[in-house]
């Protein structure tokens, strides 16, 4: 999965974003959801499949990598 940013109305829902971007449930990480990044600009983050990211990217920003965050080194 990759992250993309999209501009939507400030009260957008995940379902509305999926309809507007023509994405299916298989394209989107529904557990991650639609994350409001900048309310003033209506900027949201969305985690999508690689194929969906490249289809939708011209309408938004990205795709951006989404590396797994883990501790560095042995537990202290």
């Amino acid at each position: 999965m990759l992250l993309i940013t999209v501009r939507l109305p400030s009260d957008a829902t995940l379902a509305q974003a999926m309809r507007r971007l023509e994405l299916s449930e298989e394209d989107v990480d529904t557990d991650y959801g639609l994350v409001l990044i900048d309310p003033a600009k209506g900027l949201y983050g969305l985690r999508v499949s690689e194929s969906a990211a490249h289809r939708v990217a011209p309408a938004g920003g990205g795709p951006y990598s989404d590396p797994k965050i883990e501790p560095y080194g042995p537990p202290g």
Side-chain angles (χ1 to χ4, degrees), residues 58-75:
Y64 307 103
S65 65
D66 187 21
K68 184 175 180 180
I69 298 174
E70 299 179 320
Y72 179 75

Side-chain angles (χ1 to χ4, degrees), residues 3-4 6 14 32-38 43-47:
L3 292 173
I4 60 170
V6 293
L14 178 58
Y32 185 86
L34 184 65
V35 179
L36 182 59
I37 297 171
D38 186 339
L43 188 63
Y44 290 84
L46 188 60
R47 195 165 181 247

Side-chain angles (χ1 to χ4, degrees), residues 11-28:
D11 59 347
T13 65
L14 178 58
Q16 291 168 336
M18 290 172 61
R19 274 193 306 274
R20 182 171 180 177
L21 299 170
E22 299 178 5
L23 297 171
S24 68
E25 285 194 21
E26 292 78 32
D27 292 327
V28 176

